[in-house]
Every structure is written in structure tokens, then in C-alpha cells.
Amino acid sequence: MTRNEPAGKNEGSRYIGRGQELERVISHIGSPPPYQIFLVLGPGGAGKTTLLRMTEDKLGGARSPVYIDCKNCFDHLDSFTRLLARTLGIAEGKEPDWTGWPGRQDSVLLVDSFEMMGPYQAGLVGLLSVLAREVPVVIASRTAPDLGMKALEVPPFGRDDITDYLLNAGLPAEMAEDACRFSEGNPLLLSLFTLAASASKNPAEINRASIESDFVSFIISEVTGDEVFELLEAASLIHSFTWDLLEHMLSSQVDPESFRVLTGLSFITQDAEGWQIHEVVSKSLRNSLKQYGRRRYYELKLRALEYYDREEHRSPGKNYLIHRVYMCEDDFSREVFFSMGINLEREGIYFSPARASDLPNIPDFWRNSMLVTGFPAGILSDGYEDTARLVEYAAEYIRILRDRDDSILGYHATVPICASTFGYFRDSPATREYIASLPQRELAYLQKTSAGKTDTFFIRHLNPSDISNPLITAALLQDIFLVCIGDGCRAVTTIPLDLFQSLVDGLGFRQLPGIFDTTLGMKWPAYELDFRHTSINLWYQWLAMGRTLPHWLHIILTYTRQYWREQIELVLDNLHNPRFLNHHPLSPLAEEACPQGADDGPALKRLVLDLASSLAEDDRSNGTGRYSPVGLGGILLTTFAQKTTREEAAARLNLPPTTYYRRLKQAKSALADRMFQTAVETAEARYARLELEKEA
């Protein structure tokens, strides 16, 4: 990349970076004949053309570079041969003499944009091989012809090159992290980013969407054919794609040749799970499809979710959680989760359970981390002791992220609440408010159950060694969710980290009112994601469909009839317990359906009494002409509006106990049905408001 464009240092020239790559090209040119064709390979914007220009400059007068750009050849073999003959000074007869042209001993042939020649590549390689007997030939291409030639893959720019380029452009080195994350080391993206940053001098004002659009317009030019583009469009919605996944999404057979062309595109890479599209290209295609083909956009996403569900049932060992979260409409969550296209094997990092030698160092790692920098010593001392107790109770649940040298890059503690860990959770300042809020029935279950059978996990620690390193953070987050998210499980967290709290909010965790982590002398709210009574697939669909309803409303609409009855039973039994009602999953529904009135009590209590009153009104309108104390609504109001025992309520209503209990059971069932109908009406009202907002 040239200095007045942007990126990496190559002293004594107008270029930055690519020193090692240039040495390899020059070494090939300097070898004795006969030569082999040398291939410079890389995606669009990787700097292949710049490397050819650097080669021209480096050769100086030693050789005469002959530069041919296949973009000028109109995708045709005859066009290329005519252009080549004219450039070399060879007569354009029927059979040009490719071995006898003047100056060949001192020349080097540089062929750019070779991918543009498509089906003619094999024929051209045959021609260029003839020339290579006497002349060094270097080809630059986005895609690799399968013709057995030497290849140099142009790698992305590293952080040092990016920092050097920014400094050369007059920008601060502190922007390197942002530039690395945005460009992922692609020189063209880096160039566009740097030019925009130089113009604005304020990273927050950079028009990233415009930069990405320019980049995609350049790189997408290699896509030809409607079938390939249709496959590419579908693949842009998912984390990685395979043949059978695309067939399922499109509900049709995929043409083998189209799939071969798709996977050969320069901005698509292969890993152990399938193929991945460059994230900037993928994001652009997603946004375009959502804007111009909204219905198809959502249909394809739902078909992908069906595929993941099917595969998990076929192979119980598979877990597609990360792939499903990728389809989340919350851009922040996707960016955090998939920062830098994380691949643990490629990055040389891995997870392992904490070793015995690690455990004494965990409290010190916590105290020295960037998360607690600046807190008073007394507060840190309390947090240190709490971390030491966590190690004592839950050492086997601490997972360490390590690098190739076995150094610790971070750790997380995602701990089941069970018999062996209950003592810690009951007493810790981070968790005791949550434990105190649970119903007695749940507490009794958690106190006696084993780790393998518990349904509740607490994400207690998330501690990267470098909070500014997105790779470490993304790796820890992915592992946390794989540990604790699943059907029949509940995940709870109070992690005192703004990034993590924003993430769990974006992913639909429910904030638990009045429950806080006070470990560091501050109040950090608790969040919960509960799949004990509903399917996790509904959560995935909700994320993929753009959260058009609040998550609590989406989930309670899926509760089973039996679960509704159980919850109404609990609510009625605790109708005069404000703490219980405020933390109940139905509380958000009550707050939206029954706005605050003169009574300052919990919204859920007001809603229950309102619905009981409506049942009583139904008795009146069904022919009695007056309020019936022994009707369904009357029984509920008599029993629960005041703190009345069942025996007292039966006596007050002048009903035999057997009749009273039979009618009470019917009344609770009717109240559960009425509560569900309220949830449906609330959802319909929310949808109606959304439609009005769209029209406005």
C-alpha cells in the first residue's frame, strides 16, 4: 500500500508493509530459468496489485517489468493474447512467436486480476508456461487456478503494520484497535477507514456504512450468475454454511457447479465447520436483503433455525447455539460475540478446567485485572475474599482460557446452584439478594439437588486479562453461553461489566427488579434468562425475528396451560408479598397491562384483583343481576383480597369445604385463562403500535 493511500512500513520506499512478501517475489524473479509461474493469491483489497507495483519499483533497472491487467481483456482469451502481443511488441499474426520476442531476457511479466479470465484460465496458463521458460511470470488473482503453480497467499495486515500506517497518516496509535477490528487487516478497508478518519479527526463521526459500501462494491464484482448470487445471499444470514444447510434454507437442490463457484470466491474462507463470508460483505448483503426482500429474509432465517434444530436431534452431541445467536438482529450482540471472526484453533488459544496450580492465583488474577482498577483497597479486599470463597466452593466450574505458551488470557466461572455450592451463593454479596428472592419451593430444590441435575446456573465471573482485546472477550462469552444456555435451564448473572450487561440485555435476559450485586460497593442489576418452562428455540426465533415483542411477552405467550395454572397458584398464595410479586416473571406483563394507579402496591397484585373483579362482573351479567359472592370471581376476592385462610373464606361464603375447594380450583383455572388472554391482548396492542410507528 502506498503512503498516500494507507498501511505497514517499508523503509526507503513510498510503500508501507509487505516486506516479506516482496522478498519472496523478488527471490523467484532472481532464480535461474526455466521459471515456474508464481501466483500471488488473496481476496479483493488484500494488496495484490500494490505488491506487483512494489515489484516494479524494487526491480529498478535490473529488469523491464511488463504489466498486463486482465480487467482490460473483456473476459476473453483472444483479447488477452492480442493485448499481450501488443505489449511485448510481437506481430499479431495467426501464430505469434512467443519465444522470439526482443528483450525477453531482461523482462518480467506481471499479470494482474487473473480471476477475470474465468473459464479461460487453463488456456492462459498454458500460454504463460511457454513464456516462463525464459521470462519470470508473476500472476495476481483473487482465486487460485487448480493448476499446480507456486502460490504466495497475501495475509491480512498485522497490528504493527496498521499502527505504522495510522501514524504515517497523522492519526493517533490509539485508533489501531478500532482500525484492526473494522478492517480485519484488509488493506483496502484500512485505506478507506483511514482516509475517512483523517477527514473527520473524530472516530465517532466516521461513516462506516459508506466505507463498507465502497468496499463491497469493489469486492462483489467477482460474483457472476444469478444462481451463485442467490446462494451467496442465503449464506450471508448464517455464521458458516454447508451444501446441505443451503439446500434446506432454499428448499431446493443446489447446483454443484454454482456451489463450487461460490466456495471459490476470494472473500469466502473454509474452516472445520464449513465456509464463512467476509463479515463486511455478509453484513452488506444481509442489510440489502432485509431492505428489499424482507419476507424472504425472515423465511430464510427461520429455515436455518429449523435445520439446526433437526441436526441437533439427529446428533445429540452437536450444539448450534453460537450459529443461532449469529442470526440475532441486535448488531451489538453479534459484534461482541463474533469479534474478529474468532476461531480458537486458528488463534492458538484453548479452554481447560482450572488446574490445581491455578487455583491459588485466581483471587490475585481478579484483584489485578483491569475490571477493578481504581476501586478502594477496602472494597477490593471484600471482593478478593469473595473470589477466594468461590474458588473454595466451585473450583471445578472455573474455566481458563490459555494461549500457546500456556499463559492465562482470562477465565470465567459459570457455576450451577446446587447442594455443594449453595452455601457460597447464600452468603456472597454478589448473589445473596437473588437467593433471598426465590420461593421456598425453589430454595429447597436447589439446596438438595446435585450439580448434574440442577436447572439454575449463575454466571459469576467473566475476567479477561485484557478487556480491550475483543478476541479474548468473545472467546470467553462463547464458552459461557455453551455452558449454561439450554432447554430446561435458567441462567442468572450480575457481572459488573458494562459491556456484558449491554450484551445480556440485547439477548433478551430479563432484568430482575430490586436485586443487585454489591460486591464492589456499587449496585449492579441481576439478569435472568429462563428456559425451564418454554423452548429455547422460541428464544432463537425471537432474536432472529428482530425482537418485535418484548422477550418476557414473547416467552409467556408460549407457557403451557399447566404452567399458567401453577404460576397463578403461586401468585395468589403470595398476593400480599410485594417482594415476591415484583420479581415474578408475570410482573412485566402486569406493569404494561395494568398501569400504576392510586394504589402503590405491585402491578401484579392490581392485575390479579382486576381480573378477579372482571370474573365477578361476568357473574352479574350472566343473569344474576347482582354480584354473587359464591361465583368464581367472588370466591377469589373473598379468599385473596384480604389475608384470609381457606377455612375462614369457606365459612364466610357459607359453603361446605368440599364445595368451596372445588369452586376455588375452578376459579383459579378461570383466572389463569383470563391472565393468558390479557397477555394476548397486550401482544396485539404492542404489534399495533409497532405498525403505526412504521407508517409514521
Side-chain angles (χ1 to χ4, degrees):
M1 184 170 285
T2 59
R3 291 183 181 271
N4 60 357
E5 288 171 353
K9 190 180 294 181
N10 191 9
E11 294 296 338
S13 80
R14 60 193 179 95
Y15 299 101
I16 299 175
R18 299 297 184 223
Q20 293 183 353
E21 291 79 11
L22 178 61
E23 286 181 11
R24 285 193 59 186
V25 177
I26 294 299
S27 174
H28 169 75
I29 293 172
S31 63
Y35 305 97
Q36 285 184 302
I37 298 175
F38 192 83
L39 174 65
V40 175
L41 183 64
K48 302 180 297 296
T49 299
T50 299
L51 185 57
L52 296 186
R53 296 300 186 192
M54 291 171 70
T55 301
E56 289 183 301
D57 285 5
K58 183 73 173 179
L59 290 173
R63 281 187 178 269
S64 301
V66 177
Y67 178 82
I68 301 284
D69 190 344
C70 293
K71 291 177 183 176
N72 301 321
C73 299
F74 311 108
D75 187 22
H76 199 278
L77 184 60
D78 290 343
S79 300
F80 181 89
T81 55
R82 285 197 300 270
L83 177 62
L84 179 61
R86 282 199 305 273
T87 305
L88 299 180
I90 299 174
E92 295 184 39
K94 290 185 178 180
E95 294 294 335
D97 182 7
W98 297 111
T99 60
W101 52 283
R104 59 190 180 281
Q105 289 83 3
D106 300 321
S107 299
V108 56
L109 183 58
L110 307 175
V111 181
D112 203 359
S113 307
F114 193 68
E115 74 280 351
M116 298 296 292
M117 299 312 298
Y120 305 108
Q121 289 181 351
L124 286 179
V125 168
L127 169 59
L128 295 174
S129 297
V130 174
L131 294 172
R133 295 170 187 167
E134 300 181 88
V135 181
V137 177
V138 180
I139 294 175
S141 180
R142 294 186 186 183
T143 56
D146 187 18
L147 300 169
M149 60 184 72
K150 284 185 180 179
L152 164 66
E153 291 196 33
V154 181
F157 274 118
R159 188 187 179 99
D160 290 343
D161 283 339
I162 291 174
T163 302
D164 284 343
Y165 177 69
L166 292 173
L167 293 173
N168 183 72
L171 295 172
E174 290 74 24
M175 289 186 68
E177 186 63 49
D178 196 17
C180 286
R181 190 180 304 116
F182 180 78
S183 69
E184 296 187 8
N186 183 280
L188 177 59
L189 262 180
L190 177 63
S191 172
L192 295 170
F193 174 88
T194 307
L195 289 172
S198 298
S200 69
K201 299 297 183 184
N202 182 356
E205 296 177 358
I206 297 174
N207 188 340
R208 297 171 189 241
S210 177
I211 295 172
E212 291 171 349
S213 177
D214 291 342
F215 173 73
V216 173
S217 295
F218 170 76
I219 201 170
I220 208 76
S221 61
E222 66 187 82
V223 181
T224 57
D226 291 341
E227 288 189 19
V228 175
F229 190 81
E230 183 182 21
L231 294 175
L232 182 64
E233 209 171 40
S236 72
L237 303 180
I238 49 184
H239 181 236
S240 61
F241 67 88
T242 59
W243 181 307
D244 56 333
L245 173 52
L246 290 181
E247 285 198 330
H248 189 88
M249 290 175 69
L250 296 167
S251 301
S252 63
Q253 291 187 336
V254 171
D255 174 58
E257 178 60 20
S258 296
F259 189 81
R260 186 193 67 77
V261 173
L262 173 71
T263 54
L265 295 173
S266 69
F267 50 86
I268 290 179
T269 56
Q270 186 175 10
D271 61 17
E273 297 182 328
W275 288 267
Q276 292 184 340
I277 305 174
H278 189 286
E279 182 56 28
V280 172
V281 180
S282 187
K283 179 181 177 182
S284 176
L285 292 169
R286 279 197 306 270
N287 291 340
S288 177
L289 180 59
K290 184 177 179 180
Q291 182 176 359
Y292 299 110
R294 192 176 187 85
R295 180 174 179 177
R296 182 167 182 264
Y297 171 83
Y298 286 119
E299 286 177 349
L300 288 170
K301 292 177 83 171
L302 291 176
R303 293 283 293 168
L305 290 174
E306 286 178 3
Y307 173 86
Y308 295 139
D309 187 46
R310 184 193 75 185
E311 290 302 300
E312 284 186 347
H313 280 90
R314 286 180 174 177
S315 306
K318 288 186 177 180
N319 189 323
Y320 286 98
L321 184 147
I322 301 302
H323 296 263
R324 286 155 159 156
V325 173
Y326 182 82
M327 290 190 288
C328 170
E329 289 284 281
D330 183 63
D331 288 337
F332 174 78
S333 301
R334 189 191 299 109
E335 180 181 344
V336 171
F337 244 89
F338 297 96
S339 183
M340 304 294 285
I342 178 173
N343 181 308
L344 297 185
E345 184 178 350
R346 182 181 66 219
E347 302 296 339
I349 59 180
Y350 67 98
F351 279 97
S352 69
R355 302 166 185 165
S357 58
D358 297 325
L359 298 178
N361 301 319
I362 294 295
D364 289 323
F365 190 97
W366 175 87
R367 183 167 55 189
N368 296 328
S369 72
M370 299 169 67
L371 298 179
V372 297
T373 301
F375 281 91
I379 290 177
L380 290 182
S381 177
D382 292 342
Y384 182 91
E385 292 178 7
D386 185 71
T387 304
R389 291 189 72 243
L390 176 68
V391 171
E392 176 187 349
Y393 275 90
E396 63 266 44
Y397 307 112
I398 298 173
R399 286 177 57 79
I400 308 290
L401 180 64
R402 304 178 188 276
D403 64 12
R404 290 186 178 92
D405 300 324
D406 240 16
S407 300
I408 296 179
L409 300 177
Y411 74 90
H412 73 83
T414 304
V415 185
I417 304 180
C418 58
S420 62
T421 62
F422 190 84
Y424 168 79
F425 287 109
R426 179 194 59 215
D427 301 331
S428 170
T431 58
R432 59 189 172 207
E433 289 191 6
Y434 173 73
I435 294 296
S437 74
L438 296 176
Q440 285 299 319
R441 186 171 62 179
E442 290 188 26
L443 289 175
Y445 164 75
L446 294 173
Q447 279 182 289
K448 67 181 182 181
T449 192
S450 65
K453 294 183 177 180
T454 187
D455 60 8
T456 304
F457 294 82
F458 209 103
I459 306 170
R460 181 63 195 92
H461 274 208
L462 166 65
N463 206 337
S465 60
D466 181 1
I467 191 63
S468 65
N469 187 323
L471 174 67
I472 296 175
T473 303
L476 289 168
L477 288 171
Q478 289 193 12
D479 198 63
I480 285 173
F481 275 68
L482 287 170
V483 169
C484 69
I485 301 296
D487 266 327
C489 294
R490 168 174 53 181
V492 188
T493 185
T494 57
I495 296 291
L497 179 63
D498 287 333
L499 178 145
F500 188 73
Q501 299 242 327
S502 298
L503 174 69
V504 296
D505 181 66
L507 292 177
F509 279 62
R510 181 174 74 94
Q511 184 174 340
L512 301 174
I515 300 179
F516 299 96
D517 174 350
T518 59
T519 309
L520 296 175
M522 300 171 64
K523 287 188 172 183
W524 292 89
Y527 288 86
E528 177 186 77
L529 191 60
D530 191 350
F531 297 119
R532 293 173 302 161
H533 309 290
T534 187
S535 168
I536 193 172
N537 286 334
L538 294 164
W539 176 60
Y540 295 135
Q541 291 175 18
W542 175 76
L543 293 177
M545 298 299 284
R547 302 176 55 174
T548 49
L549 282 178
H551 188 227
W552 57 266
L553 186 51
H554 176 85
I555 291 299
I556 64 177
L557 287 172
T558 68
Y559 287 156
T560 63
R561 188 179 183 86
Q562 179 60 32
Y563 180 70
W564 275 98
R565 290 174 177 171
E566 290 174 0
Q567 293 308 305
I568 291 300
E569 184 96 31
L570 278 173
V571 168
L572 289 171
D573 288 343
N574 291 275
L575 198 62
H576 302 284
N577 181 347
R579 184 178 181 84
F580 175 87
L581 296 179
N582 286 331
H583 297 116
H584 193 274
L586 293 177
S587 180
L589 168 65
E591 290 168 1
E592 180 150 338
C594 189
Q596 189 78 20
D599 176 16
D600 291 329
L604 188 51
K605 179 179 179 179
R606 296 198 308 274
L607 179 59
V608 166
L609 294 178
D610 284 353
L611 294 178
S613 296
S614 73
L615 286 171
E617 287 296 323
D618 286 351
D619 286 339
R620 189 193 305 273
S621 62
N622 286 339
T624 64
R626 59 186 176 80
Y627 166 72
S628 171
V630 295
L632 299 182
I635 287 178
L636 290 170
L637 291 170
T638 302
T639 306
F640 298 106
Q642 307 296 326
K643 291 185 178 180
T644 307
T645 67
R646 304 293 194 272
E647 292 77 12
E648 291 171 341
R652 187 178 298 178
L653 294 168
N654 196 25
L655 289 173
T658 54
T659 303
Y660 168 78
Y661 281 109
R662 176 174 55 80
R663 296 285 287 163
L664 180 61
K665 183 177 181 181
Q666 292 172 347
K668 289 179 178 178
S669 179
L671 182 62
D673 291 343
R674 191 64 57 95
M675 185 74 81
F676 176 76
Q677 185 58 37
T678 300
V680 172
E681 292 169 357
T682 303
E684 290 173 345
R686 178 63 71 99
Y687 273 127
R689 289 201 300 273
L690 286 170
E691 291 303 315
L692 287 174
E693 290 171 5
K694 289 177 184 177
E695 290 177 8

